[in-house]
Amino acid sequence: MASHRKSRPAGTRVAGIRTPALATAALTSVALLSQTANAAPSDDRPSLEEVEKKVDDLYRQAGSATEKYNAAKEKTSKQRKKVDTLLDDVAQRTQKLNDARTELGSFASAQYRTGASVPDTATLLLADSPQDYFDQNQLMNRLTGRQKNAVDDYVTQQSETMKKRQEATASLDTLTDSQNDLKTAKSTVQKKLATARELLSELTAEEKARLAAIEKKKQEEAARKAAELAKQQEAERKQQEEAAQQQESGSSSGSPESSAPGSSNGTKAEKALAFAQAQIGKPYVWGATGPGSYDCSGLTQGAWKAAGVTLPRTTYDQVNAGTTVSVSQAQPGDLVFFYDDISHVGLYIGDGKMIHAPKPGAYVREESIFYDGESSIHSVVRPA
């Protein structure tokens, strides 16, 4: 017997209950919308690699701005000393000028007492040329030799004082410009570092762990490159020693001193290295020159100062303070500069490694010169 029961539309069981097809479609739509909503933020969020690159770029830009800050600070300091010297000079000259005015006034009064026309003392003190004043009042021919010398001295003092005042005014304007450059550079550094800190603070614990793993891999690669350079340098050193021995055996006039050129430089380099090694563990602080903290160029400047060699303050100037050599020829004590804008520097210690003050949040440490890749190395300079 045929069934008179109507067929039910196909449905889906949820927890043992069959649901209508329409309800199933609705649930599916809700699920898809939910997944889309959850996925949207992550789609807009930069990848970990992008964050790492952005942070590295910000630190590098902050390093470059730090060197500009150092340059502006040094310029401001020099300009302030120049202004102080000029103002002191102007004050001394003004006093001499006032004394000369007083003396000239007494001469005019003396001429008046001898019967000359009444002098206009106020005009005398304000006159552009005291000599013209005396000539106009027919007093010049009555002055003694000492009095005439006083007039000449007053004219000279007045002219020089005006020049010094103008120079001091111009120097004050230059000082103001330097101070503004200093503020701008300082603000730039602070903004770059704040942005970098903000990006890092938004990372999850898992992302931070992955970032640490990426950094570790970079360090391992840098160490490998350093080991390769160390082997290359050792091979070249042996070749040089063998060549020197052959030359010495074939010459009867060789002396121990002639086989050790640059020994003075080696002693200075040892002192520079000893200083740098003693700073390991101290924090990087931008603009710092010690003794409690350093930035990169502050550390290298301090190290070579301990060796009796004066280096400029900034990386831009330090790169020109010696002889440029190839990376393969680098010797302990040499300065290794980084990036196209020459915004970082370290002190080479041998075996492909250096001591440097890396970046904010880090400490002075030993590290491979390939820490940011071989292409980041700009040049190597031997200071002395």
Side-chain angles (χ1 to χ4, degrees):
M1 188 174 74
S3 173
H4 299 286
R5 188 178 296 171
K6 294 182 179 180
S7 61
R8 297 179 180 179
T12 305
R13 286 187 177 273
V14 178
I17 303 175
R18 185 178 296 274
T19 59
L22 184 59
T24 301
L27 286 174
T28 303
S29 299
V30 170
L32 288 173
L33 287 173
S34 176
Q35 291 174 4
T36 303
N38 291 333
S42 61
D43 290 342
D44 295 337
R45 190 176 183 182
S47 67
L48 186 60
E49 289 73 15
E50 291 173 336
V51 171
E52 182 200 22
K53 184 179 184 305
K54 181 66 174 178
V55 169
D56 286 347
D57 287 345
L58 286 167
Y59 277 135
R60 197 170 301 137
Q61 292 167 19
S64 180
T66 295
E67 291 306 310
K68 291 179 181 178
Y69 170 85
N70 291 339
K73 185 178 181 181
E74 185 178 40
K75 181 179 179 181
T76 300
S77 179
K78 289 180 179 179
Q79 193 64 30
R80 185 176 286 112
K81 290 179 181 178
K82 182 178 179 180
V83 167
D84 290 343
T85 300
L86 284 170
L87 290 178
D88 288 342
D89 191 11
V90 167
Q92 292 174 5
R93 290 181 182 278
T94 300
Q95 183 58 50
K96 290 180 180 180
L97 192 62
N98 291 336
D99 293 341
R101 282 178 175 174
T102 301
E103 188 174 7
L104 289 180
S106 67
F107 293 161
S109 297
Q111 292 297 326
Y112 169 65
R113 287 194 296 271
T114 61
S117 59
V118 179
D120 185 352
T121 305
T123 303
L124 168 64
L125 297 180
L126 297 176
D128 291 335
S129 174
Q131 187 167 350
D132 288 345
Y133 170 82
F134 274 83
D135 286 338
Q136 291 169 6
N137 287 276
Q138 299 179 346
L139 297 177
M140 200 66 187
N141 58 346
R142 303 180 188 179
L143 298 180
T144 65
R146 174 173 172 272
Q147 292 170 339
K148 289 180 179 179
N149 288 338
V151 173
D152 291 339
D153 181 60
Y154 179 87
V155 172
T156 301
Q157 289 288 348
Q158 186 183 48
S159 175
E160 292 182 353
T161 300
M162 288 299 296
K163 289 180 180 178
K164 288 297 180 181
R165 284 176 178 171
Q166 293 172 352
E167 188 177 349
T169 300
S171 294
L172 282 170
D173 291 339
T174 302
L175 177 59
T176 300
D177 292 339
S178 297
Q179 290 173 330
N180 290 335
D181 291 342
L182 188 64
K183 291 179 181 178
T184 299
K186 182 177 181 179
S187 175
T188 300
V189 175
Q190 291 173 331
K191 288 178 180 178
K192 299 294 183 185
L193 296 180
T195 303
R197 286 193 294 267
E198 183 179 355
L199 284 171
L200 290 173
S201 68
E202 293 175 352
L203 296 178
T204 65
E206 181 184 354
E207 287 173 329
K208 289 179 180 179
R210 287 171 53 202
L211 192 62
I214 293 174
E215 181 63 25
K216 183 179 179 181
K217 187 175 181 180
K218 286 175 60 177
Q219 291 177 355
E220 290 173 349
E221 175 61 18
R224 185 186 67 79
K225 294 289 292 183
E228 288 181 357
L229 177 60
K231 289 181 180 179
Q232 179 184 353
Q233 291 179 329
E234 178 64 17
E236 291 180 358
R237 185 185 65 80
K238 288 182 177 180
Q239 288 179 354
Q240 291 172 356
E241 287 181 352
E242 291 173 356
Q245 289 174 357
Q246 291 175 359
Q247 183 177 6
E248 184 177 352
S249 63
S251 173
S252 59
S253 60
S255 63
E257 290 76 13
S258 64
S259 63
S263 57
S264 174
N265 177 69
T267 301
K268 292 178 180 179
E270 288 174 1
K271 291 180 179 179
L273 287 173
F275 178 92
Q277 288 167 344
Q279 313 313 311
I280 291 177
K282 293 183 178 180
Y284 174 102
V285 174
W286 62 274
T289 56
S293 58
Y294 295 89
D295 63 16
C296 65
S297 56
L299 177 64
T300 51
Q301 183 188 48
W304 273 100
K305 182 179 180 180
V309 177
T310 300
L311 291 182
R313 175 63 183 94
T314 68
T315 55
Y316 313 130
D317 293 325
Q318 288 183 9
V319 75
N320 297 315
T323 303
T324 301
V325 299
S326 65
V327 174
S328 64
Q329 293 176 325
Q331 295 179 2
D334 290 351
L335 304 177
V336 186
F337 295 91
F338 297 86
Y339 311 119
D340 292 338
D341 60 356
I342 320 174
S343 58
H344 189 64
V345 63
L347 193 70
Y348 191 68
I349 61 176
D351 295 335
K353 298 179 182 178
M354 65 180 174
I355 296 175
H356 70 147
K359 61 184 179 181
Y363 297 84
V364 176
R365 66 193 183 203
E366 289 186 10
E367 195 163 23
S368 167
I369 63 173
F370 302 101
Y371 80 106
D372 202 19
E374 186 172 2
S375 61
S376 68
I377 299 176
H378 177 275
S379 57
V380 179
V381 172
R382 189 158 299 148

